């Protein structure tokens, strides 16, 4: 099975997490943390900064690696490095997604997460509870 390496940016501001709804492709309408594929010669941290700029017209600062998710979809294996990010500048303009929400630890379960992203939700709730 082919492995696809991607990154996700978990943008946190004022105790809320930014989630986006896919507007295209096989997983259209599913909710996820924004990000995408790592390009050749790029570090995962560079990839998440580039992807957030491309998808949301926003510059982020990578704070730390939160988790690496390994998930088997029917057609490929996903390896996703998930980074906690902070907005440096920009207004989170949706260029590829159809919707977005700021979620609190209480509302994290109110969207239909994609399977690979869903595994992060409980861990995020715990982290937000400690802040």
């Amino acid at each position: 099975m082919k492995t696809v390496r991607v990154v996700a940016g978990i943008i946190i501001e004022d105790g809320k997490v930014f989630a986006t709804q896919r507007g295209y492709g096989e997983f259209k309408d599913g909710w996820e943390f924004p990000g995408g594929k790592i390009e050749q010669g790029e570090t995962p941290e560079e990839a998440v900064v580039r992807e957030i700029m491309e998808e949301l017209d926003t510059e982020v600062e990578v704070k730390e690696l939160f988790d690496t998710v390994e998930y088997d979809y029917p057609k490929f294996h996903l390896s996703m490095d998930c980074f906690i990010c902070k907005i440096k500048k920009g207004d989170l303009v949706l260029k590829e997604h159809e919707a977005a929400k700021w979620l609190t630890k209480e509302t994290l379960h109110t969207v239909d997460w994609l399977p690979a992203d869903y595994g992060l939700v409980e861990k995020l709730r715990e982290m937000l509870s400690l802040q």
Side-chain angles (χ1 to χ4, degrees):
M1 185 180 295
K2 177 175 98 171
T3 295
V4 177
R5 288 207 59 226
V6 299
V7 292
I10 301 171
I11 301 170
I12 299 177
E13 296 286 324
D14 301 321
K16 294 180 182 168
V17 179
F18 190 71
T20 53
Q21 187 177 30
R22 284 182 74 98
Y24 60 91
E26 183 179 354
F27 302 105
K28 183 180 178 333
D29 297 330
W31 287 81
E32 65 181 354
F33 298 104
K37 291 182 182 170
I38 302 169
E39 292 183 354
Q40 192 162 355
E42 219 176 23
T43 67
E45 292 86 352
E46 290 167 340
V48 79
V49 169
R50 176 186 51 75
E51 285 285 347
I52 300 294
M53 181 55 78
E54 288 175 6
E55 293 182 4
L56 299 168
D57 204 23
T58 298
E59 185 180 350
V60 295
E61 175 185 351
V62 175
K63 294 301 215 177
E64 64 183 294
L65 178 65
F66 180 68
D67 202 355
T68 298
V69 173
E70 302 290 338
Y71 189 85
D72 286 326
Y73 281 101
K75 297 179 182 168
F76 62 94
H77 175 78
L78 185 78
S79 179
M80 179 170 64
D81 289 335
C82 306
F83 294 93
I84 301 294
C85 297
K86 184 167 180 37
I87 296 171
K88 281 173 77 171
K89 67 178 181 198
D91 295 320
L92 296 170
V93 177
L94 299 184
K95 295 166 89 175
E96 296 184 13
H97 297 92
E98 60 185 56
K101 290 182 180 183
W102 284 100
L103 301 170
T104 64
K105 69 178 187 253
E106 293 82 17
T107 61
L108 273 171
H109 286 288
T110 62
V111 298
D112 187 16
W113 292 102
L114 291 174
D117 294 76
Y118 186 80
L120 296 166
V121 173
E122 200 52 45
K123 189 173 179 182
L124 261 175
R125 274 177 41 100
E126 290 172 23
M127 186 193 81
L128 292 172
S129 294
L130 298 174
Q131 290 186 340

